[in-house]
Amino acid sequence: MKKYILISICLMASLAKSYAQDFQGMATYESKTSTADFKSRMEGNKDMTPDVQKMIEDRMKLMFEKTFHLNFSRTTSIYKEEEKLEAAGQNPGFRMMSNMMGTGGTFYKNTKEKTYTVDREFMGKEFLIQDSLPKLAWKLENETKQIGGYTCFKATAVREASKTDFRNFRMKKKEADKKEEVGKTNLMDELDLPKEITITAWYTLDIPVSQGPENYWGLPGLILEVNDGKTTILCSKVVLNLKDKVEIKAPTNGEVITQKKYDETVIKKMEQFREMGGGRNGMQIRMGN
């Protein structure tokens, strides 16, 4: 009898281990970045026709409203944008801003090894960023809410704003008594970057994996919503124990580079972009009242 019990326990342990290795899920996220400050500046521009304004708003929507899929196991995940037929237009300035959105390529995370790999294309060149996962000092709150039938707990953290993620930039506030000449303004000079941003995340203990969208991780459950004050990433669907497994592996194409070196490359190009007038092929947008 003792021998039978021992064999049963070993068999259950083996099955549990196998289940843990085979476990896989998929979460769909809708990402939306607020462009209210940019739109208000356009609406105050008397020299911008309604057709041009609508064209810019449509392109901005393509850049700032996207759908992503997160395929995850217990320790690894890949996060990738859903492919769409639409393109953000042929304007080179808008293509450059789209590349600066910080969400391109396949984002692979390994929470066990605390590393990530992401392939990015920037200015026609492919990069393969490999680095350690950023560690946020999460503060776990008692507040809860429901997201898609899951009870989620609130967590907050403060981090430095990325200089290479265009979503972190804000339009500079205009002084009420300051009179400005109406004319072409360098868009890059109209932008401001905060030193720090506050992250608010909602995670569920019902899915106990330390995963989330983009480079977010480190909580005791899957992150179903995250907000940085301007961009909200909200989970719209979760499927667990997928029948058709997806191969979760790191991308391999591109010049291997660290996050720091990649950021330095992007910042250098952004400075050149500024010196060129913010883009002479349509990116010089008339601002003012």
Side-chain angles (χ1 to χ4, degrees):
M1 179 63 71
K2 289 182 179 180
K3 184 178 180 180
Y4 174 78
I5 294 175
L6 180 61
I7 293 175
S8 298
I9 292 175
C10 291
L11 180 60
M12 291 175 64
S14 177
L15 290 173
K17 183 178 180 181
S18 176
Y19 172 78
Q21 291 175 339
D22 293 339
F23 170 79
Q24 193 176 113
M26 185 188 75
T28 300
Y29 293 87
E30 307 297 331
S31 175
K32 185 174 183 179
T33 299
S34 173
T35 57
D37 53 350
F38 191 84
K39 287 182 179 180
S40 65
R41 194 69 61 82
M42 284 198 303
E43 291 171 355
N45 184 353
K46 298 178 181 179
D47 293 333
M48 185 178 292
T49 65
D51 290 340
V52 172
Q53 183 174 329
K54 185 179 185 305
M55 177 192 69
I56 294 175
E57 289 181 354
D58 290 342
R59 287 176 174 175
M60 287 173 64
K61 184 175 181 179
L62 288 174
M63 288 191 296
F64 292 98
E65 295 183 19
K66 298 185 177 184
T67 300
F68 295 85
H69 297 291
L70 177 74
N71 288 89
F72 59 91
S73 65
R74 297 194 182 279
T75 59
T76 60
S77 67
I78 50 174
Y79 183 73
K80 192 172 183 179
E81 181 181 351
E82 181 177 275
E83 294 184 3
K84 294 182 179 179
L85 296 177
E86 304 98 325
Q90 297 302 315
N91 184 292
F94 276 99
R95 286 204 305 270
M96 184 171 183
M97 278 207 301
S98 184
N99 287 336
M100 292 179 184
M101 291 296 291
T103 57
T106 298
F107 200 113
Y108 169 85
K109 293 196 296 287
N110 188 316
T111 57
K112 184 177 180 180
E113 298 178 358
K114 296 180 174 58
T115 60
Y116 72 92
T117 301
V118 57
D119 55 346
R120 291 262 168 82
E121 181 183 343
F122 183 72
M123 300 295 289
K125 186 174 181 179
E126 293 185 358
F127 294 93
L128 188 67
I129 306 170
Q130 296 178 341
D131 218 316
S132 300
L133 280 169
K135 188 175 182 180
L136 296 178
W138 291 109
K139 179 182 178 183
L140 305 185
E141 312 282 358
N142 292 324
E143 188 176 347
T144 64
K145 72 173 182 178
Q146 294 288 316
I147 299 178
Y150 291 97
T151 298
C152 294
F153 293 84
K154 182 179 179 180
T156 57
V158 177
R159 76 175 186 188
E160 182 181 357
S162 171
K163 296 179 181 179
T164 60
D165 188 341
F166 196 81
R167 296 170 301 172
N168 288 333
F169 287 84
R170 275 69 168 156
M171 296 295 294
K172 290 180 179 178
K173 294 182 179 180
K174 295 294 184 182
E175 298 178 13
D177 58 347
K178 184 177 179 180
K179 294 182 179 180
E180 298 185 352
E181 294 183 2
V182 177
K184 290 187 176 182
T185 302
N186 186 338
L187 177 62
M188 299 301 292
D189 290 334
E190 293 287 323
L191 303 175
D192 195 15
L193 179 71
K195 291 183 179 180
E196 295 180 331
I197 55 177
T198 299
I199 308 298
T200 301
W202 295 88
Y203 65 96
T204 177
L205 297 176
D206 296 333
I207 309 176
V209 295
S210 185
Q211 297 287 350
E214 295 188 10
N215 61 353
Y216 294 109
W217 72 293
L219 289 169
L222 181 66
I223 298 173
L224 296 187
E225 182 180 342
V226 64
N227 179 281
D228 66 3
K230 192 173 182 181
T231 298
T232 299
I233 306 174
L234 177 63
C235 181
S236 58
K237 181 181 179 181
V238 176
V239 180
L240 300 178
N241 299 315
L242 296 172
K243 292 182 179 180
D244 298 323
K245 297 290 190 299
V246 174
E247 188 176 12
I248 300 178
K249 64 177 183 178
T252 57
N253 295 329
E255 177 185 333
V256 178
I257 193 172
T258 63
Q259 186 68 58
K260 181 180 179 181
K261 288 294 184 181
Y262 176 79
D263 290 347
E264 290 173 354
T265 301
V266 174
I267 290 171
K268 182 178 179 180
K269 289 297 182 181
M270 288 174 69
E271 289 300 324
Q272 293 176 359
F273 189 59
R274 182 193 299 272
E275 292 171 1
M276 286 165 33
R280 300 186 183 280
N281 298 318
M283 275 305 298
Q284 283 188 325
I285 298 175
R286 292 179 178 272
M287 302 292 181
N289 299 320

Short mmCIF file of all heavy atoms in Angstrom, two decimals, residues 138-147 150-156 200-207 219-226:
data_model
loop_
_atom_site.label_atom_id
_atom_site.label_comp_id
_atom_site.label_asym_id
_atom_site.label_seq_id
_atom_site.Cartn_x
_atom_site.Cartn_y
_atom_site.Cartn_z
N TRP A 138 7.02 48.33 -7.32
CA TRP A 138 5.56 48.33 -7.25
C TRP A 138 5.06 48.52 -5.82
O TRP A 138 5.58 47.90 -4.90
CB TRP A 138 4.99 47.03 -7.79
CG TRP A 138 5.14 46.82 -9.26
CD1 TRP A 138 5.96 45.93 -9.89
CD2 TRP A 138 4.43 47.50 -10.31
NE1 TRP A 138 5.81 46.01 -11.25
CE2 TRP A 138 4.89 46.96 -11.54
CE3 TRP A 138 3.47 48.51 -10.32
CZ2 TRP A 138 4.40 47.40 -12.76
CZ3 TRP A 138 2.99 48.95 -11.54
CH2 TRP A 138 3.45 48.40 -12.74
N LYS A 139 4.05 49.36 -5.66
CA LYS A 139 3.37 49.52 -4.38
C LYS A 139 1.99 48.87 -4.51
O LYS A 139 1.15 49.33 -5.29
CB LYS A 139 3.22 51.00 -4.03
CG LYS A 139 2.50 51.24 -2.70
CD LYS A 139 2.35 52.73 -2.44
CE LYS A 139 1.59 52.97 -1.13
NZ LYS A 139 1.36 54.43 -0.89
N LEU A 140 1.77 47.80 -3.78
CA LEU A 140 0.51 47.07 -3.88
C LEU A 140 -0.58 47.76 -3.07
O LEU A 140 -0.39 48.04 -1.88
CB LEU A 140 0.69 45.61 -3.41
CG LEU A 140 1.81 44.82 -4.09
CD1 LEU A 140 1.80 43.38 -3.60
CD2 LEU A 140 1.66 44.87 -5.61
N GLU A 141 -1.70 48.05 -3.72
CA GLU A 141 -2.81 48.75 -3.07
C GLU A 141 -3.93 47.76 -2.72
O GLU A 141 -3.95 46.62 -3.20
CB GLU A 141 -3.36 49.84 -4.00
CG GLU A 141 -2.29 50.74 -4.62
CD GLU A 141 -1.79 51.79 -3.67
OE1 GLU A 141 -2.30 51.86 -2.54
OE2 GLU A 141 -0.89 52.57 -4.07
N ASN A 142 -4.87 48.21 -1.90
CA ASN A 142 -6.01 47.37 -1.51
C ASN A 142 -7.20 47.53 -2.46
O ASN A 142 -8.15 46.76 -2.41
CB ASN A 142 -6.46 47.70 -0.08
CG ASN A 142 -5.42 47.30 0.95
OD1 ASN A 142 -4.75 46.28 0.79
ND2 ASN A 142 -5.26 48.11 1.99
N GLU A 143 -7.16 48.54 -3.31
CA GLU A 143 -8.27 48.82 -4.20
C GLU A 143 -8.41 47.72 -5.26
O GLU A 143 -7.41 47.22 -5.79
CB GLU A 143 -8.04 50.17 -4.89
CG GLU A 143 -9.23 50.67 -5.70
CD GLU A 143 -8.98 52.05 -6.28
OE1 GLU A 143 -8.02 52.71 -5.85
OE2 GLU A 143 -9.75 52.45 -7.16
N THR A 144 -9.65 47.34 -5.57
CA THR A 144 -9.91 46.31 -6.57
C THR A 144 -10.96 46.78 -7.58
O THR A 144 -11.71 47.72 -7.32
CB THR A 144 -10.41 45.00 -5.92
OG1 THR A 144 -11.69 45.26 -5.29
CG2 THR A 144 -9.42 44.48 -4.90
N LYS A 145 -11.00 46.11 -8.72
CA LYS A 145 -12.06 46.34 -9.70
C LYS A 145 -12.12 45.14 -10.63
O LYS A 145 -11.20 44.31 -10.68
CB LYS A 145 -11.83 47.64 -10.49
CG LYS A 145 -10.71 47.60 -11.49
CD LYS A 145 -10.72 48.89 -12.31
CE LYS A 145 -9.63 48.91 -13.38
NZ LYS A 145 -9.68 50.16 -14.19
N GLN A 146 -13.20 45.03 -11.36
CA GLN A 146 -13.42 43.91 -12.27
C GLN A 146 -13.00 44.28 -13.69
O GLN A 146 -13.37 45.34 -14.20
CB GLN A 146 -14.90 43.50 -12.27
CG GLN A 146 -15.39 42.93 -10.95
CD GLN A 146 -14.83 41.54 -10.68
OE1 GLN A 146 -14.78 40.68 -11.56
NE2 GLN A 146 -14.40 41.32 -9.45
N ILE A 147 -12.23 43.40 -14.32
CA ILE A 147 -11.87 43.56 -15.72
C ILE A 147 -12.12 42.23 -16.42
O ILE A 147 -11.46 41.23 -16.12
CB ILE A 147 -10.39 43.97 -15.89
CG1 ILE A 147 -10.10 45.31 -15.22
CG2 ILE A 147 -10.03 44.04 -17.38
CD1 ILE A 147 -8.65 45.74 -15.31
N TYR A 150 -12.53 39.19 -14.21
CA TYR A 150 -11.45 38.91 -13.27
C TYR A 150 -11.36 40.01 -12.21
O TYR A 150 -11.48 41.20 -12.53
CB TYR A 150 -10.10 38.83 -14.00
CG TYR A 150 -9.96 37.64 -14.90
CD1 TYR A 150 -10.22 37.74 -16.28
CD2 TYR A 150 -9.55 36.41 -14.40
CE1 TYR A 150 -10.07 36.65 -17.11
CE2 TYR A 150 -9.41 35.30 -15.23
CZ TYR A 150 -9.66 35.43 -16.58
OH TYR A 150 -9.53 34.34 -17.41
N THR A 151 -11.18 39.59 -10.96
CA THR A 151 -10.96 40.56 -9.89
C THR A 151 -9.52 41.01 -9.96
O THR A 151 -8.59 40.20 -9.90
CB THR A 151 -11.23 39.93 -8.50
OG1 THR A 151 -12.60 39.52 -8.45
CG2 THR A 151 -10.94 40.92 -7.39
N CYS A 152 -9.32 42.32 -10.11
CA CYS A 152 -7.98 42.87 -10.27
C CYS A 152 -7.62 43.78 -9.11
O CYS A 152 -8.46 44.50 -8.57
CB CYS A 152 -7.88 43.65 -11.58
SG CYS A 152 -8.06 42.62 -13.05
N PHE A 153 -6.36 43.74 -8.73
CA PHE A 153 -5.84 44.57 -7.65
C PHE A 153 -4.96 45.67 -8.25
O PHE A 153 -4.29 45.48 -9.26
CB PHE A 153 -5.01 43.72 -6.68
CG PHE A 153 -5.83 42.73 -5.91
CD1 PHE A 153 -6.14 41.49 -6.46
CD2 PHE A 153 -6.31 43.03 -4.64
CE1 PHE A 153 -6.90 40.56 -5.76
CE2 PHE A 153 -7.08 42.11 -3.94
CZ PHE A 153 -7.37 40.88 -4.50
N LYS A 154 -4.97 46.80 -7.58
CA LYS A 154 -4.23 47.97 -8.05
C LYS A 154 -2.79 47.97 -7.54
O LYS A 154 -2.52 47.58 -6.41
CB LYS A 154 -4.94 49.25 -7.57
CG LYS A 154 -4.31 50.55 -8.04
CD LYS A 154 -5.12 51.73 -7.53
CE LYS A 154 -4.51 53.05 -7.96
NZ LYS A 154 -5.31 54.21 -7.44
N ALA A 155 -1.89 48.41 -8.39
CA ALA A 155 -0.48 48.58 -8.02
C ALA A 155 0.05 49.83 -8.71
O ALA A 155 -0.35 50.13 -9.85
CB ALA A 155 0.34 47.36 -8.43
N THR A 156 0.92 50.57 -8.04
CA THR A 156 1.46 51.80 -8.62
C THR A 156 2.98 51.80 -8.52
O THR A 156 3.57 51.15 -7.65
CB THR A 156 0.91 53.05 -7.92
OG1 THR A 156 1.20 52.98 -6.52
CG2 THR A 156 -0.59 53.17 -8.13
N THR A 200 0.11 53.12 -13.18
CA THR A 200 -0.96 52.45 -12.44
C THR A 200 -1.33 51.16 -13.17
O THR A 200 -1.70 51.19 -14.35
CB THR A 200 -2.21 53.35 -12.33
OG1 THR A 200 -1.87 54.57 -11.66
CG2 THR A 200 -3.30 52.63 -11.53
N ALA A 201 -1.18 50.05 -12.47
CA ALA A 201 -1.46 48.74 -13.08
C ALA A 201 -2.54 48.01 -12.30
O ALA A 201 -2.71 48.22 -11.10
CB ALA A 201 -0.18 47.89 -13.13
N TRP A 202 -3.28 47.15 -13.02
CA TRP A 202 -4.30 46.31 -12.40
C TRP A 202 -3.99 44.86 -12.79
O TRP A 202 -3.92 44.53 -13.97
CB TRP A 202 -5.69 46.70 -12.88
CG TRP A 202 -6.09 48.08 -12.46
CD1 TRP A 202 -5.83 49.25 -13.12
CD2 TRP A 202 -6.78 48.43 -11.27
NE1 TRP A 202 -6.34 50.31 -12.41
CE2 TRP A 202 -6.93 49.85 -11.27
CE3 TRP A 202 -7.31 47.71 -10.19
CZ2 TRP A 202 -7.57 50.53 -10.25
CZ3 TRP A 202 -7.94 48.39 -9.18
CH2 TRP A 202 -8.07 49.78 -9.21
N TYR A 203 -3.76 44.01 -11.80
CA TYR A 203 -3.38 42.62 -12.04
C TYR A 203 -4.35 41.68 -11.35
O TYR A 203 -5.01 42.04 -10.37
CB TYR A 203 -1.95 42.38 -11.52
CG TYR A 203 -1.82 42.52 -10.02
CD1 TYR A 203 -1.88 41.41 -9.18
CD2 TYR A 203 -1.65 43.77 -9.43
CE1 TYR A 203 -1.77 41.53 -7.80
CE2 TYR A 203 -1.55 43.91 -8.05
CZ TYR A 203 -1.60 42.79 -7.25
OH TYR A 203 -1.51 42.92 -5.88
N THR A 204 -4.43 40.46 -11.86
CA THR A 204 -5.34 39.48 -11.28
C THR A 204 -4.57 38.28 -10.73
O THR A 204 -3.70 37.72 -11.42
CB THR A 204 -6.38 38.99 -12.31
OG1 THR A 204 -7.20 37.99 -11.70
CG2 THR A 204 -5.73 38.42 -13.55
N LEU A 205 -4.91 37.89 -9.52
CA LEU A 205 -4.30 36.71 -8.90
C LEU A 205 -4.90 35.42 -9.46
O LEU A 205 -4.36 34.34 -9.22
CB LEU A 205 -4.51 36.76 -7.38
CG LEU A 205 -3.84 37.93 -6.65
CD1 LEU A 205 -4.21 37.91 -5.17
CD2 LEU A 205 -2.33 37.89 -6.82
N ASP A 206 -5.99 35.55 -10.23
CA ASP A 206 -6.60 34.37 -10.84
C ASP A 206 -5.71 33.78 -11.93
O ASP A 206 -5.88 32.61 -12.31
CB ASP A 206 -7.96 34.74 -11.44
CG ASP A 206 -8.96 35.18 -10.38
OD1 ASP A 206 -8.82 34.74 -9.23
OD2 ASP A 206 -9.87 35.96 -10.71
N ILE A 207 -4.80 34.60 -12.44
CA ILE A 207 -3.82 34.11 -13.43
C ILE A 207 -2.44 34.43 -12.86
O ILE A 207 -1.86 35.48 -13.14
CB ILE A 207 -4.02 34.79 -14.80
CG1 ILE A 207 -5.49 34.69 -15.24
CG2 ILE A 207 -3.10 34.14 -15.85
CD1 ILE A 207 -5.79 35.42 -16.52
N LEU A 219 4.57 41.66 -10.98
CA LEU A 219 3.45 41.58 -10.06
C LEU A 219 3.02 40.12 -9.90
O LEU A 219 3.32 39.29 -10.77
CB LEU A 219 2.28 42.44 -10.56
CG LEU A 219 2.53 43.96 -10.46
CD1 LEU A 219 1.47 44.73 -11.23
CD2 LEU A 219 2.57 44.40 -9.01
N PRO A 220 2.32 39.78 -8.81
CA PRO A 220 1.98 38.36 -8.56
C PRO A 220 0.83 37.83 -9.41
O PRO A 220 0.25 36.80 -9.08
CB PRO A 220 1.61 38.36 -7.08
CG PRO A 220 1.13 39.74 -6.81
CD PRO A 220 1.98 40.64 -7.66
N GLY A 221 0.51 38.52 -10.48
CA GLY A 221 -0.56 38.06 -11.36
C GLY A 221 -0.48 38.79 -12.69
O GLY A 221 0.22 39.80 -12.83
N LEU A 222 -1.18 38.28 -13.70
CA LEU A 222 -1.17 38.87 -15.02
C LEU A 222 -1.73 40.30 -14.98
O LEU A 222 -2.79 40.54 -14.41
CB LEU A 222 -2.01 38.03 -15.98
CG LEU A 222 -2.08 38.52 -17.43
CD1 LEU A 222 -0.72 38.44 -18.10
CD2 LEU A 222 -3.11 37.70 -18.21
N ILE A 223 -1.01 41.24 -15.58
CA ILE A 223 -1.46 42.64 -15.65
C ILE A 223 -2.50 42.76 -16.76
O ILE A 223 -2.20 42.50 -17.93
CB ILE A 223 -0.28 43.58 -15.91
CG1 ILE A 223 0.74 43.50 -14.76
CG2 ILE A 223 -0.77 45.01 -16.08
CD1 ILE A 223 2.02 44.27 -15.01
N LEU A 224 -3.71 43.17 -16.40
CA LEU A 224 -4.78 43.30 -17.38
C LEU A 224 -5.00 44.74 -17.82
O LEU A 224 -5.65 44.98 -18.85
CB LEU A 224 -6.09 42.74 -16.82
CG LEU A 224 -6.10 41.24 -16.51
CD1 LEU A 224 -7.51 40.79 -16.12
CD2 LEU A 224 -5.60 40.42 -17.69
N GLU A 225 -4.47 45.68 -17.06
CA GLU A 225 -4.58 47.09 -17.45
C GLU A 225 -3.40 47.87 -16.89
O GLU A 225 -2.95 47.60 -15.77
CB GLU A 225 -5.89 47.72 -16.94
CG GLU A 225 -6.05 49.17 -17.36
CD GLU A 225 -7.35 49.81 -16.85
OE1 GLU A 225 -8.28 49.04 -16.48
OE2 GLU A 225 -7.43 51.05 -16.82
N VAL A 226 -2.89 48.80 -17.68
CA VAL A 226 -1.80 49.65 -17.21
C VAL A 226 -1.98 51.03 -17.83
O VAL A 226 -2.40 51.16 -18.97
CB VAL A 226 -0.43 49.04 -17.58
CG1 VAL A 226 -0.23 48.97 -19.07
CG2 VAL A 226 0.70 49.81 -16.93
#
